[in-house]
Amino acid sequence: MSADESMVVEGRVIDTLPGAWFLVRITTEGFANHEIKAKTSGKMKMYSIKIVTGDWVKVELNPYELSEGRIVFRSIKPFNQFSQN
């Protein structure tokens, strides 16, 4: 596994932390109910995408550090609702 490989998991923002960090509870199988700290990615900062408590997010995790991640996508609805229509 190379150093630039990453995993994308889904979760929900449960709290905002100081320094533009968020506490995210993961909902993806295998990581369910695991809580991590995450920050927004550069593109989300560049386009001023705001994240609030309760938002559903996709988080990119480094396989070597599973306690911190980077938020790469934000949604108001859970991701499994998109495929049900």
Side-chain angles (χ1 to χ4, degrees):
M1 183 180 308
S2 68
D4 60 342
E5 290 183 18
S6 60
M7 300 180 284
V8 177
V9 294
E10 300 170 356
R12 190 166 192 176
V13 177
I14 57 173
D15 195 13
T16 56
L17 303 172
W21 286 87
F22 300 93
L23 190 61
V24 178
R25 180 172 290 137
I26 303 300
T27 58
T28 302
E29 282 188 42
F31 294 97
N33 295 324
H34 185 72
E35 293 180 1
I36 62 166
K37 284 185 0 180
K39 61 181 177 179
T40 56
S41 66
K43 291 283 185 179
M44 293 185 76
K45 289 179 189 175
M46 185 168 80
Y47 293 111
S48 301
I49 297 174
K50 304 296 180 202
I51 298 175
V52 296
T53 303
D55 284 347
W56 292 88
V57 294
K58 288 190 179 182
V59 179
E60 190 174 88
L61 293 174
N62 180 351
Y64 301 109
E65 180 62 43
L66 297 176
S67 63
E68 293 183 355
R70 185 172 54 173
I71 298 173
V72 294
F73 187 80
R74 171 198 169 260
S75 176
I76 298 173
K77 296 180 181 179
F79 293 104
N80 58 6
Q81 286 188 355
F82 291 121
S83 60
Q84 291 179 354
N85 290 338

